Amino acid sequence: MPSASDELLKTRQFLKTRLQYDVTNFRGYEKEWQHIRDLLFRTAENGESNSALLLGSRGCGKTTLITSVLSDLLPEECFRKNTLIVYLNGLLHTDDRLALKSATAQMNLENAVDGKVFGSFAENLAFLLECLKAGDRKKSKSVVFLLEEFDLFCSHHNQTLLYNLFDVAQSAQAPICVLGITARLDVVELLEKRVKSRFSHRQIFLLPEDNNFEGRIELFKSLLKLPSEKEVKELIKSNKPLPVEFVQNQEMPLLRRKMNYENWSFSSKWVINWNKHIDSLASNTRVLSVMQNLYDYDIVEGTLKNYLFEVVSLLDPLENPQITVENIQHLGQQFEGDDKVLLVCGLSVLELCLVIAMKHHSEIYDRDPFNFEMILTRYNKFANSSTTMQGIERSVVLKAYEHVKNLELIAPISHATSKVQKEYQLHRLLLTYGQISQAVLKSQNLPTEICQWAQSSLV
């Protein structure tokens, strides 16, 4: 008979695993789920060629939906035998050559490619697709291209990858489905005219439901409750086993994140007591207040999961044997904070001074863009009258400026070219004046003269 301490440690591990890895049990968006499933199934079964975009804000469940559909389709022999899945991510495959290399590896065509030399990406891609054909379109193996962070592929040179994929899908040279996943709702406007003309313009939106706070509370309970022995058996039965070759595919990490319920079992008494406690928390007015604030702050499920992960991480047999209202309130206050404000609070004093100089420049010139030389001049005016910031070398200030840029607190304007010297490249501020003021107030041990300079309108 396991002790209460062992049960708690196992509960903490189970809940953290569920919050991180249970991505195949998809909730809501039934029509969208069925739409994606039909697209992929028709490509595999009927040899249809399709292209579509899956759009929605970050954390709303786009990747989870795709993973859920694949985990439903892959155990079916007809789909598995007739389909190749190629997973590309715009964050990893930053140009068409990298994307082609990864696609080649996932199609198991490295040897065929190594034996030939091609001039262009289009010829390479055409060769890959030709390898998949078996002389008859009905006998060709279907290919599903999953393009995560689709908007980043739009920045590739001439959009060659997208052009060729959409062209193949439109002309039905081989059965292919191109499915883009992105958080940019205006991504179609980023496509070049020739690419846009070959895209099917099928867009599937995952839009969160408004004013469904009751659903949020039910989600809170379902994420934190433990399954009974009967429920575990049903989950094991409903979770179809995935083919080993897909789970082990290092190029496609989606399907490795699948919850295995066979490894978890709890005593019935522990499950009953734990679930009763979660029900009592869900009806507590203070907990409801925190949940309402979080729901108002961000409606997507991903934010709630991140918050609950931190709550569950506090569980400890000695200090926190159960989730308390106080812990929920404390973490709720931290979670409502502005991430950018916290980022600015972590800057060095010199970097914060540069941000303040950017703020003053933007106030005076109505948010006109600026370069390093402009900000350095404004900073030097303050530094010359300051006892704290005197004697800092120009190279050190430039390094601090570049760090602020790397943190994406400022961004180069679109028509800035790489030929311009970095000191003269124009940037714009990505922070509001309120965020900078909050960061200055929250920063500890900041010299008084810098606080006064930040609040002053005389610059």
Side-chain angles (χ1 to χ4, degrees):
M1 187 73 178
S3 65
S5 176
D6 293 336
E7 291 279 23
L8 180 66
L9 291 174
K10 190 161 59 170
T11 297
R12 183 179 67 183
Q13 188 179 359
F14 171 79
L15 294 176
K16 289 170 75 173
T17 305
R18 173 195 273 170
L19 291 167
Q20 279 188 303
Y21 294 106
D22 188 15
V23 295
T24 56
N25 294 325
F26 191 70
R27 289 171 286 272
Y29 302 111
E30 289 82 6
K31 289 183 180 178
E32 292 81 358
W33 188 93
Q34 192 61 46
H35 194 163
I36 295 290
R37 190 189 187 283
D38 291 343
L39 278 179
L40 300 186
F41 185 78
R42 290 202 305 269
T43 302
E45 188 69 14
N46 305 330
E48 290 185 16
S49 292
N50 294 297
S51 59
L53 287 176
L54 184 60
L55 309 167
S57 57
R58 296 202 178 277
C60 70
K62 300 182 296 298
T63 303
T64 306
L65 184 148
I66 299 297
T67 310
S68 177
V69 169
L70 287 177
S71 66
D72 183 67
L73 285 173
L74 283 173
E76 297 184 14
E77 189 175 354
C78 62
F79 182 85
R80 187 171 68 253
K81 287 188 173 181
N82 294 333
T83 311
L84 282 172
I85 297 176
V86 177
Y87 174 80
L88 301 175
N89 192 313
L91 293 171
L92 301 175
H93 308 108
T94 51
D95 59 49
D96 287 345
R97 289 185 180 276
L98 287 172
L100 178 61
K101 184 178 179 182
S102 178
T104 305
Q106 293 180 58
M107 293 179 186
N108 297 318
L109 294 172
E110 300 98 322
N111 294 333
V113 172
D114 288 340
K116 288 180 175 286
V117 178
F118 301 102
S120 68
F121 172 78
E123 289 171 330
N124 273 297
L125 184 60
F127 168 71
L128 289 179
L129 293 171
E130 194 66 35
C131 288
L132 299 172
K133 295 181 182 180
D136 188 322
R137 184 170 177 272
K138 293 181 180 179
K139 296 179 182 178
S140 296
K141 208 165 190 180
S142 304
V143 192
V144 175
F145 281 88
L146 301 176
L147 306 183
E148 188 104 49
E149 303 292 347
F150 178 83
D151 52 294
L152 298 181
F153 288 97
C154 297
S155 63
H156 291 190
H157 181 64
N158 290 337
Q159 299 184 358
T160 311
L161 172 71
L162 299 182
Y163 172 78
N164 283 279
L165 289 179
F166 286 150
D167 186 55
V168 170
Q170 187 189 50
S171 58
Q173 296 173 24
I176 180 176
C177 180
V178 183
L179 185 57
I181 308 162
T182 178
R184 284 200 61 166
L185 301 183
D186 63 340
V187 70
V188 175
E189 301 305 316
L190 302 178
L191 297 175
E192 292 182 3
K193 189 178 292 185
R194 65 187 186 124
V195 180
K196 195 184 295 185
S197 66
R198 284 159 174 78
F199 173 49
S200 68
H201 289 271
R202 183 185 284 109
Q203 300 180 60
I204 303 166
F205 292 89
L206 296 192
L207 301 175
E209 294 182 11
D210 290 330
N211 302 320
N212 187 22
F213 183 63
E214 293 78 11
R216 173 55 63 96
I217 297 302
E218 289 302 315
L219 178 60
F220 169 84
K221 292 193 288 186
S222 67
L223 289 174
L224 291 182
K225 280 187 173 183
L226 297 176
S228 64
E229 189 175 342
K230 182 181 177 182
E231 289 170 335
V232 168
K233 288 180 180 178
E234 290 176 355
L235 287 167
I236 293 173
K237 189 177 179 180
S238 62
N239 275 355
K240 306 172 186 176
L242 292 174
V244 177
E245 62 269 23
F246 285 97
V247 179
Q248 293 178 345
N249 183 356
Q250 295 300 314
E251 296 287 342
M252 189 171 63
L254 299 177
L255 296 174
R256 295 205 299 274
R257 300 176 62 189
K258 183 175 173 66
M259 188 79 174
N260 187 359
Y261 287 94
E262 295 178 3
N263 301 330
W264 305 100
S265 61
F266 302 91
S267 67
S268 56
K269 185 179 179 182
W270 175 266
V271 171
I272 291 169
N273 292 334
W274 179 269
N275 291 347
K276 279 184 179 178
H277 178 63
I278 298 302
D279 283 328
S280 67
L281 287 175
S283 59
N284 186 290
T285 53
R286 289 186 291 168
V287 173
L288 290 173
S289 177
V290 174
M291 289 296 107
Q292 183 68 63
N293 289 338
L294 285 173
Y295 189 66
D296 294 339
Y297 174 71
D298 198 341
I299 201 171
V300 300
E301 183 178 315
T303 303
L304 177 65
K305 281 187 171 182
N306 291 336
Y307 166 73
L308 293 180
F309 186 87
E310 293 194 30
V311 171
V312 170
S313 298
L314 293 177
L315 288 172
D316 183 82
L318 298 176
E319 297 180 2
N320 291 300
Q322 62 183 9
I323 298 173
T324 64
V325 176
E326 290 71 22
N327 287 341
I328 289 175
Q329 284 185 309
H330 177 66
L331 286 173
Q333 291 171 356
Q334 291 184 356
F335 218 83
E336 291 168 27
D338 191 325
D339 290 341
K340 280 195 173 180
V341 172
L342 296 175
L343 193 61
V344 176
C345 287
L347 296 178
S348 67
V349 175
L350 175 58
E351 291 162 353
L352 189 55
C353 284
L354 293 181
V355 171
I356 294 170
M358 295 169 191
K359 169 179 176 281
H360 288 322
H361 180 280
S362 298
E363 285 176 332
I364 294 170
Y365 296 105
D366 195 22
R367 283 199 169 267
D368 275 2
F370 51 81
N371 59 31
F372 169 72
E373 293 295 340
M374 297 177 186
I375 299 305
L376 180 63
T377 302
R378 191 162 299 282
Y379 163 75
N380 283 335
K381 285 182 181 178
F382 165 72
N384 291 334
S385 62
S386 165
T387 57
T388 307
M389 306 304 296
Q390 286 179 355
I392 298 179
E393 296 180 8
R394 173 192 170 91
S395 59
V396 177
V397 180
L398 179 59
K399 192 72 175 176
Y401 184 88
E402 289 177 343
H403 186 237
V404 172
K405 176 185 174 182
N406 291 338
L407 291 174
E408 297 185 357
L409 300 177
I410 60 175
I413 60 174
S414 56
H415 59 270
T417 61
S418 57
K419 295 180 181 178
V420 178
Q421 245 181 303
K422 60 183 177 181
E423 291 91 336
Y424 298 99
Q425 288 179 358
L426 291 174
H427 294 82
R428 56 189 174 87
L429 186 62
L430 298 181
L431 296 164
T432 65
Y433 304 146
Q435 286 173 326
I436 297 172
S437 300
Q438 284 182 48
V440 170
L441 291 173
K442 288 185 177 182
S443 296
Q444 297 179 348
N445 304 321
L446 199 62
T448 306
E449 55 193 5
I450 295 177
C451 296
Q452 292 174 344
W453 181 44
Q455 296 166 5
S456 171
S457 57
L458 301 173
V459 290

